[in-house]
Amino acid sequence: LLWIIPALPLAAVALNLLFGDRLGKRGTAVLACGAVGLAFLAAVRAVLAVAALPEEARAITETAWTWMRVGDFKVDVAFLLDPLSSIMVLVVTGVGFLIHVYSTAYMAEDPSFRRFFLYLNLFMFAMLTLVLADNYLLMFVGWEGVGLCSYLLIGFWHQKQSATDAGKKAFIVNRVGDFGFILGVLFLIANAHSVNYHQVFASAPALGAVATVATLLMFLGATGKSAQIPLYVWLPDAMEGPTPVSALIHAATMVT
């Protein structure tokens, strides 16, 4: 049940939106931290299932539904857990849970306590979608989701002009990198006729220069997200967000 892992923080976002006023600070904190804690336990269970498989077969793919189908081209909302995504899903949920718990005390006196945890849970959902996606297009949904959440969290204290400017700067610089990423995906659709990882990898030797161009374009997206030269200028200003945001974005998950 891989879909449970990203679904838990998304469910917390929905419940926060619907019932947040009734929950109070304690209820909001329990809901937000509990969802991420349960996601971590679900991730541990899934990773143990992968580890129990023979070494050459350590990958689990789960298709939730078919997202789009155009002729022979098909994209699924599907999740993939292999050794690489196993590491990342444990880092995201494990470290993310600790940051959520720390945030309950750090933000205790903030009047926008509920809004902060709504953004934090949404960030977790986007990051888990990114690392568990089994195709480039679904990965791009998570990719854009973490970009949106970084904008919302960096500019969280929007009454300060410096915070709103920092949020906008991060958003715009990342859009430059993300334009490269989506161009790379379009190259693959046009030439490999697929966005599924395994199908693209299998056809990569026959793609020749197209594979190189697509890889470089996607690398431009990674350059923006991980604040590398020349798309690094948003990172120093990103400290305008609350400290737990810096821990989540810079130290633990998104930049990594």
Side-chain angles (χ1 to χ4, degrees), residues 112-252:
S112 298
F113 185 88
R114 173 193 168 197
R115 178 167 62 92
F116 179 79
F117 280 99
L118 191 151
Y119 291 167
L120 222 56
N121 279 158
L122 189 62
F123 186 97
M124 294 298 295
F125 163 71
M127 179 56 65
L128 289 169
T129 301
L130 194 165
V131 299
L132 286 173
D134 97 318
N135 63 76
Y136 289 102
L137 213 53
L138 185 60
M139 181 188 182
F140 187 70
V141 172
W143 193 273
E144 288 301 291
V146 294
L148 170 64
C149 293
S150 63
Y151 161 73
L152 293 172
L153 287 164
I154 291 168
F156 180 78
W157 286 316
H158 52 76
Q159 64 273 21
K160 292 165 52 184
Q161 186 63 42
S162 57
T164 57
D165 289 346
K168 287 185 284 188
K169 190 174 186 180
F171 191 80
I172 292 167
V173 172
N174 274 281
R175 294 295 70 71
V176 175
D178 295 354
F179 181 67
F181 190 102
I182 195 63
L183 277 180
V185 174
L186 291 172
F187 259 78
L188 293 177
I189 293 172
N191 294 277
H193 309 295
S194 176
V195 288
N196 179 274
Y197 296 150
H198 295 308
Q199 292 173 9
V200 170
F201 297 162
S203 62
L207 293 176
V210 170
T212 303
V213 172
T215 302
L216 289 173
L217 286 168
M218 289 182 185
F219 179 69
L220 180 63
T223 300
K225 277 287 183 286
S226 56
Q228 305 300 310
I229 294 173
L231 301 178
Y232 67 94
V233 293
W234 65 272
L235 190 59
D237 295 342
M239 301 303 169
E240 286 290 341
T243 298
V245 173
S246 298
L248 194 62
I249 292 178
H250 309 142

Side-chain angles (χ1 to χ4, degrees), residues 84-106:
L84 177 60
S85 55
S86 293
I87 293 170
M88 290 313 301
V89 77
L90 290 176
V91 168
V92 171
T93 54
V95 179
F97 172 70
L98 297 176
I99 292 170
H100 273 67
V101 172
Y102 176 78
S103 300
T104 60
Y106 187 91

